[in-house]
Amino acid sequence: MKAHPWMGNSGGTAKAEMLAALRVNSVEALFAQIPEDHRMTRPLDLPPQLSSEVALSRHLDDMMAKNKVPAAGACFLGAGAWPHYVPAICDEIVGRYEWQTSVFGSPTSDHGRNQAWFEFTSQIGALVDMDFVGLPVYSWGCAVGHAVRMAARMTGRRKVVVPEVMDPERRLVLQTYCEPTEMARHIEIVTVKVGADGCIDRDDLRTKIDGAGALYFETPGYLGVIDADPGELCAIAREAGAEAIVGVDPLSLGLLEAPGAYGATIAVGPTQPLGVHMYAGGGVGGFIASPDEERYAREYNTLNISISETREPGEHGFGLTLFHQSSYGMRDEGKDWTGNSVYLWALANAAYMAAMGPEGFAEVGRLIMARSGAAARAIDALDGARVDLSRPVFKEFVATFDKPVAQINAALRAKGLFGGKDITGEPGIEGNAMLICVTEVHTQDDIDHLVTTLKEALA
């Protein structure tokens, strides 16, 4: 057998020795549990194998050169990963070897790591006004899925109500977590109407919440709408015996009321805005928070950090807790799957939140709201463009145009700008629509550049 160029043990008798150790006669026997109709019967359509590491390096360089990296302030694309300023201290912290080599150890070791993770959970808890926070999961969408499964286990109900206008990616992740209808743990997803004001229709919610284990909604929502009374939605859910799960942008909480304060029972959200750059396919994460009650704590899928006094007077120690209920402790019988993929980002998040403090969150919140509002008004003033200015704007807003968004975005890219997400045809959207993101990194000059280029594209 010819050895693989980068796998030294792939040649000679290695394959036969591994099969013998597993007591099977062929590689095929290892996949016997996969149903026939799930298996590919045609050969994989792969390009020719590269012959050396030099060729691989050149290939990757060529692929990377195709990426277009916008200048600071030239990207107005959000919808899941947003252009925010990352303080230098965040990169410095996560770049230290001490962290990169101690991301995982035994449940009671690595006290420095455990303390840093405890700081992360404590600061998220302060932001959302809840006392129990797990370590982060892969993404905001994953946090929604885990929270819904938590609610289903707690209530014994297999139904969740969500708004009909929801981020398509988070909706798909939630669908995956709710499993297909033929699965024993399937959770039904029911949508509730969204009114002309962009908020959930209360009357429609009251007709659909009965028998649900949870209501999930976001404020600000996917299209940037801020619900004026999220507490009313939470109250409707709680009165029906359902968990009130609220998704929030943590940077909005310097201005908006925390979900724990208006009656949410579980809060989720993204961690990328908290000191993590926009990476293609990486950098995202999601948090889950709840009251510090045993019925919630027992249903977390995540690893959790606790603090306690040591035998030395005045000293404290930090350690993983409720470890056994995770997939590490009970494997496939754990409370959903958990992993260690975004724990390093939690350190960047903790450094960011510590550097900002309450006043910093309020300041950046005001800045984002002021600049996104200014951009919305300027775009609405253009011929061929419209923005609903009847409601407040935080970070993202919808602009509709007389021309197709793909055509407009192509014109923006030609001038070095990344336009917003093309949401034409999505639920709740009429006409050619773009979801535009404006944050604290965008100066007035950046906004003027966007508006001027949009005007040229619309002419």
Side-chain angles (χ1 to χ4, degrees):
M1 176 189 292
K2 180 183 177 182
H4 190 281
W6 305 307
M7 298 170 64
N9 62 353
S10 63
T13 61
K15 179 178 176 181
E17 291 173 4
M18 286 189 282
L19 291 174
L22 295 170
R23 298 182 179 179
V24 295
N25 296 322
S26 67
V27 173
E28 186 71 13
L30 300 175
F31 306 119
Q33 63 182 307
I34 301 176
E36 283 294 330
D37 62 346
H38 284 57
R39 302 176 68 171
M40 182 182 291
T41 56
R42 60 173 173 77
L44 281 173
D45 183 19
L46 297 175
Q49 177 179 309
L50 299 174
S51 59
S52 67
E53 186 173 328
V54 174
L56 174 62
S57 178
R58 175 62 183 272
H59 173 68
L60 292 176
D61 287 343
D62 290 344
M63 295 282 286
M64 293 286 286
K66 295 180 180 178
N67 286 336
K68 302 296 182 184
V69 181
C75 177
F76 297 88
L77 180 61
W82 304 268
H84 286 295
Y85 179 69
V86 176
I89 190 174
C90 297
D91 292 333
E92 178 66 22
I93 290 293
V94 298
R96 292 187 68 89
Y97 293 134
E98 297 93 322
W99 298 122
Q100 295 178 1
T101 56
S102 69
V103 165
F104 204 75
S106 73
T108 56
S109 68
D110 300 321
H111 290 169
R113 175 208 66 181
N114 289 349
Q115 180 175 356
W117 285 347
F118 184 83
E119 301 295 345
F120 163 81
T121 58
S122 300
Q123 292 171 105
I124 290 288
L127 268 179
V128 300
D129 197 15
M130 290 183 172
D131 293 330
F132 198 105
V133 181
L135 285 178
V137 295
Y138 268 141
S139 67
W140 187 352
C142 287
V144 176
H146 286 301
V148 168
R149 295 221 70 94
M150 285 174 65
R153 290 192 296 270
M154 292 170 64
T155 62
R157 299 175 177 179
R158 298 290 181 188
K159 184 173 95 173
V160 58
V161 179
V162 302
E164 61 183 0
V165 177
M166 180 177 173
D167 179 283
E169 183 181 9
R170 285 195 286 280
R171 171 64 187 262
L172 286 173
V173 175
L174 176 61
Q175 286 179 213
T176 302
Y177 273 77
C178 288
E179 299 186 344
T181 53
E182 61 266 26
M183 302 291 284
R185 300 190 304 171
H186 167 68
I187 297 174
E188 180 189 10
I189 300 175
V190 175
T191 57
V192 61
K193 293 179 184 176
V194 171
D197 59 355
C199 298
I200 287 178
D201 185 313
R202 271 59 173 172
D203 292 335
D204 192 46
L205 174 60
R206 289 187 176 91
T207 66
K208 295 178 176 176
I209 193 66
D210 187 45
L215 164 68
Y216 174 71
F217 69 96
E218 299 167 0
T219 183
Y222 166 54
L223 301 182
V225 176
I226 300 171
D227 195 296
D229 189 6
E232 182 184 19
L233 297 173
C234 294
I236 294 172
R238 293 197 315 274
E239 288 168 5
E243 296 297 321
I245 306 173
V246 181
V248 293
D249 181 333
L251 286 187
S252 72
L253 297 178
L255 294 180
L256 304 181
E257 191 173 24
Y262 54 72
T265 56
I266 301 177
V268 298
T271 59
Q272 183 266 329
L274 304 173
V276 181
H277 297 276
M278 296 175 75
Y279 291 105
V284 297
F287 66 81
I288 306 172
S290 73
D292 185 13
E293 299 174 13
E294 185 169 357
R295 65 193 189 99
Y296 290 98
R298 292 292 183 187
E299 298 302 338
Y300 271 76
N301 71 299
T302 60
L303 297 183
N304 301 291
I305 298 292
S306 183
I307 184 174
S308 180
E309 296 178 349
T310 70
R311 288 180 295 185
E312 296 295 327
E315 290 189 355
H316 294 83
F318 305 85
L320 295 173
T321 187
L322 300 176
F323 189 80
H324 69 284
Q325 67 192 33
S326 72
S327 55
Y328 288 112
M330 295 200 298
R331 308 313 299 167
D332 57 338
E333 295 300 322
K335 307 286 188 184
D336 291 337
W337 179 88
T338 190
N340 64 346
S341 60
V342 298
Y343 296 163
L344 193 61
W345 294 133
L347 305 181
N349 303 147
Y352 182 90
M353 289 185 280
M356 293 288 284
E359 289 301 320
F361 271 88
E363 183 178 345
V364 75
R366 288 193 293 267
L367 195 57
I368 291 171
M369 180 163 276
R371 291 186 175 173
S372 53
R377 291 189 292 275
I379 292 172
D380 182 63
L382 295 175
D383 290 336
R386 292 161 298 281
V387 179
D388 184 353
L389 301 178
S390 65
R391 53 198 185 204
V393 168
F394 182 83
K395 190 159 83 173
E396 290 178 290
F397 59 88
V398 177
T400 56
F401 301 101
D402 290 343
K403 288 187 175 181
V405 172
Q407 184 178 334
I408 295 171
N409 271 339
L412 294 178
R413 280 197 298 276
K415 294 295 182 72
L417 294 174
F418 277 17
K421 179 188 177 186
D422 187 349
I423 56 174
T424 305
E426 291 190 5
I429 296 297
E430 295 182 359
N432 305 307
M434 181 190 293
L435 185 63
I436 299 176
C437 175
V438 178
T439 72
E440 77 279 8
V441 303
H442 297 108
T443 64
Q444 187 58 52
D445 287 344
D446 296 328
I447 295 171
D448 291 344
H449 187 196
L450 171 66
V451 173
T452 300
T453 311
L454 276 174
K455 183 177 181 180
E456 295 171 356
L458 291 169

